[in-house]
Amino acid sequence: MSTAPRHPRARDETWNEAWNEVVRHARAAADARIAALMRDEPDRRARLSVDAAGLHLDLECHRLPGAALDALLALAGVADIAGRRDAMYAGEPVNFTEGRPALHVALRAPAPRRGGDGSTDDARTSDDARLRQIADEVEHTLARMERFCEAVRNGSWRGASGHAITDVVHVGIGGSHLGPQLACEALAACAHPRLRCRFLSNVDPQAFERAVDGLDPASTLVVVASKSWHTLETARNAQALRRWFADAGIGPGELARHMVGITANVDAALAFGLAEASIFPFRDWVGGRYSLWSAIGLPVMLAVGPERFRALLAGAHAMDRHFAEAPLARNAPVLLALVSLWNTLALPGSTEVVVPYSDALRSLTAWLQQLQMESNGKRVGRDGVPVPWNTAPVVWGGAGTDVQHSVFQALHQGTSVHPVDFVVVVPARDDPEGRGSALLANALAQREALLHGREASPPAGDAGEPPDANLAWLAAHRACPGNRPSSLILLDRLDPQRLGALLALYEHKTATLGWLWDVDSFDQWGVELGKSLASEIEPLLDPARALPDGLAPGLRALVERIRAARAAPR
Ligand code: F6P
């Protein structure tokens, strides 16, 4: 198995020099004032704003001088971002620690064109032929998903006792949860009126109770989504749901009417008891956090219908084309990544705050947390040696305007500086109370406040009198320093295309950052350790088992205490 993509260059002296040049600019820009840069650099707006796939990206409000942007673009050239991107699109094993491609772009490419004899055109090389085969496979699964979703939506798919499906419970965690939930919420305005979708991810029984509360098993469809089919949380919840059906008289023979599986491990799903016809497969070259575009998107298609799901894919594809074709200096994901990299250097210790001004996008932050932190929370480069820079800043945030009343105080006046991504959706029309305009005005106002701040200027006393000391003291408390960076991503409206483009924008930003940091954005070894320890620790909680002699004293004490708490009367 090949473990390294062919084209991209290794980190060498030229790369180090380009990196050091960026660092030099970051040190020199320590006192840069964004307002002054906006005033003094005539081409700033043209360079730092870009329209791509229906989105408008405005990166003007960063402490990034034009000369530093030049240095960042030079680094992107030296790091061979274009070559790495092309290698990813060509299906090379860019996930080099697992020797796998990361081919999510193939999931949203248009269906292959066919000649009259059934042959596909343009398959000149064996790589082309392989990509064609992948495209055919993707299209085949999409067509199966469409037939299934149409049947559920039009009511011809019936539960075991003849009831139409009214509720969908999607079971999955991480990438098998966050993308589908985000998309279902974002597109809820065009969801099927009969189908309600709930999500179950946590292995906590309370989460299960909430997910099934009030549901009638006879009209419920469970979608079990797990790439590996081994993830503990999903496996246990799927078992609990199988029992929930059995308790309602829906046994193994009828399960196919109520439970479908989405996985890259079809054998395990069959062993669980699902029928082959109830399994929607995808391949291991789809990374978990990039899997919304695969069969994992089934609940989205159930909710909004095949046509809108195709539009979601088309929007992501439009961003894929932009990423592939736009020069680096006009490339939205590349610019977003370069600005992010810049902030890690110019604002050491900073984090990334993401604030969607659209309630429909309230889960964007959670989705981005996994995308960016699971992808790039790595410390070792391709050469197996720790990289000499910080990677993956913490991502946090929440829906505007709610977070204005919680975390924004610290953003305006706190001692550390954290760049904010304002993701702003223009509401279709205003309501009588003007809430849409209020939402927009708040987004723009917060951005202006972060940028310009408010000076500590106590009102002057009467002529000849010293200023009132008390007022001066209060003014110091009221002052906002400003000069706090932010990006703005504007969506003229929230529709499936623009949603697809937005998510693909962030995916490509994340991959670009991984390439700049020289880490593998597509593996997640760090998560595995906790998983395997949990399976070792779980048997220790069984009071019938003697604790092993070699158990670490701290862990032993905790386990004993937990055993006692469980045994105590409640
Ligand atoms: O958190 C680790 C992880 O492997 C993620 O990458 C993935 O999205 C999630 O677990 C769920 O995995 P699976 O789809 O295999 O259940």
Side-chain angles (χ1 to χ4, degrees):
M1 180 168 44
S2 163
T3 54
R6 282 194 298 267
H7 307 310
R9 54 176 303 167
R11 233 163 65 219
D12 60 8
E13 213 23 59
T14 330
W15 185 322
N16 289 339
E17 278 164 24
W19 183 274
N20 290 339
E21 182 65 5
V22 173
V23 171
R24 202 179 57 72
H25 278 279
R27 291 204 183 109
D31 299 323
R33 302 290 305 176
I34 301 168
L37 295 171
M38 291 168 91
R39 186 189 61 222
D40 299 339
E41 294 184 336
D43 60 349
R44 186 173 180 80
R45 182 161 310 150
R47 294 191 77 190
L48 286 171
S49 61
V50 55
D51 286 276
L55 310 183
H56 177 68
L57 179 60
D58 178 348
L59 300 171
E60 235 196 320
C61 294
H62 285 275
R63 297 184 193 175
L64 172 63
L69 177 59
D70 293 339
L72 285 163
L73 286 164
L75 174 65
V78 168
D80 196 17
I81 296 306
R84 287 162 185 252
R85 173 201 63 205
D86 294 348
M88 180 176 82
Y89 279 50
E92 294 195 19
V94 292
N95 178 352
F96 49 83
T97 70
E98 297 182 292
R100 283 182 196 158
L103 258 179
H104 41 286
V105 292
L107 296 168
R108 50 218 193 190
R113 288 191 311 275
R114 291 188 176 282
D117 58 354
S119 67
T120 50
D121 50 14
D122 292 345
R124 290 188 207 93
T125 65
S126 60
D127 280 353
D128 284 349
R130 192 169 58 93
L131 290 174
R132 281 287 172 202
Q133 197 190 341
I134 285 173
D136 283 343
E137 203 176 290
V138 167
E139 189 52 35
H140 177 73
T141 301
L142 267 174
R144 277 192 59 213
M145 289 166 63
E146 287 180 352
R147 283 194 295 278
F148 174 70
C149 290
E150 286 295 15
V152 173
R153 286 165 62 83
N154 68 25
S156 59
W157 181 279
R158 301 263 157 179
S161 52
H163 291 78
I165 301 298
T166 56
D167 294 274
V168 176
V169 178
H170 178 95
V171 188
I173 198 162
S176 298
H177 159 227
L178 295 163
Q181 174 161 308
L182 165 61
C184 282
E185 289 172 358
L187 303 176
C190 50
H192 192 287
R194 177 172 34 83
L195 291 175
R196 295 172 294 262
C197 200
R198 300 180 181 194
F199 291 85
L200 173 60
S201 54
N202 200 334
V203 74
D204 188 329
Q206 285 190 341
F208 179 91
E209 293 308 327
R210 199 172 55 241
V212 298
D213 185 35
L215 296 189
D216 179 358
S219 56
T220 298
L221 176 76
V222 166
V223 177
V224 182
S226 176
K227 177 179 168 179
S228 60
W229 208 267
H230 288 319
T231 304
L232 172 107
E233 294 90 333
T234 305
R236 297 280 172 92
N237 279 328
Q239 287 160 11
L241 281 158
R242 193 176 50 188
R243 180 166 51 82
W244 182 71
F245 280 126
D247 291 348
I250 300 170
E254 292 150 326
L255 207 56
R257 308 302 303 171
H258 292 273
M259 213 178 215
V260 297
I262 307 167
T263 187
N265 187 353
V266 173
D267 289 344
L270 289 169
F272 174 84
L274 293 185
E276 191 152 13
S278 308
I279 299 171
F280 297 91
F282 62 101
R283 293 285 184 174
D284 68 358
W285 44 256
V286 181
R289 48 203 172 272
Y290 300 84
S291 61
L292 165 67
W293 323 100
S294 72
I296 293 283
L298 191 76
V300 186
M301 194 191 273
L302 280 166
V304 304
E307 208 174 310
R308 291 195 186 91
F309 188 78
R310 291 255 185 197
L312 179 78
L313 299 182
H317 177 68
M319 186 57 76
D320 294 341
R321 293 317 321 150
H322 168 83
F323 183 49
E325 289 158 11
L328 296 186
R330 302 300 303 143
N331 197 305
V334 172
L335 287 171
L336 201 56
L338 292 177
V339 164
S340 176
L341 177 71
W342 172 256
N343 286 330
T344 64
L345 297 170
L347 301 167
S350 62
T351 61
E352 289 190 359
V353 191
V354 182
V355 185
Y357 278 78
S358 161
D359 195 62
L361 290 177
R362 60 191 174 278
S363 293
L364 179 68
T365 311
W367 175 81
L368 265 173
Q369 282 173 328
Q370 192 210 14
L371 177 67
Q372 298 197 178
M373 295 173 73
E374 190 165 283
S375 296
N376 288 335
K378 317 281 166 68
R379 48 181 281 286
V380 170
R382 262 187 316 162
D383 52 8
V385 174
V387 292
W389 38 67
N390 289 327
T391 62
V394 168
V395 178
W396 55 292
T401 58
D402 295 68
V403 289
Q404 286 175 206
H405 299 275
S406 54
V407 304
F408 265 61
Q409 166 60 36
L411 296 180
H412 288 296
Q413 288 190 311
T415 50
S416 53
V417 175
H418 303 280
V420 181
D421 277 11
F422 289 93
V423 180
V424 179
V425 176
V426 181
R429 59 192 162 278
D430 235 331
D431 56 14
E433 291 77 32
R435 287 174 291 181
S437 297
L439 188 63
L440 285 170
N442 269 278
L444 300 181
Q446 291 298 327
R447 188 167 185 249
E448 288 295 299
L450 286 168
L451 172 60
H452 296 297
R454 176 173 53 201
E455 278 180 25
S457 49
D462 290 342
E465 283 179 25
D468 182 323
N470 198 39
L471 285 178
W473 167 82
L474 187 58
H477 282 275
R478 286 166 45 88
C480 295
N483 202 32
R484 303 205 161 193
S486 65
S487 304
L488 191 141
I489 301 172
L490 187 68
L491 284 72
D492 289 348
R493 57 183 176 275
L494 184 57
D495 57 15
Q497 282 95 336
R498 285 172 179 79
L499 177 68
L502 176 70
L503 305 189
L505 169 72
Y506 274 117
E507 285 180 352
H508 294 319
K509 168 204 171 181
T510 304
T512 302
L513 275 168
W515 294 325
L516 289 164
W517 283 320
D518 201 30
V519 297
D520 186 339
S521 298
F522 304 104
D523 63 13
Q524 57 281 318
W525 296 107
V527 198
E528 305 303 327
L529 175 61
K531 284 187 195 172
S532 57
L533 287 177
S535 64
E536 285 171 31
I537 288 174
E538 190 174 336
L540 304 180
L541 302 174
D542 176 357
R545 292 171 77 132
L547 291 177
D549 290 342
L551 196 61
L555 184 55
R556 172 183 288 273
L558 272 175
V559 168
E560 281 170 350
R561 184 160 184 152
I562 288 168
R563 283 183 173 195
R566 280 182 140 183
R570 307 199 172 201

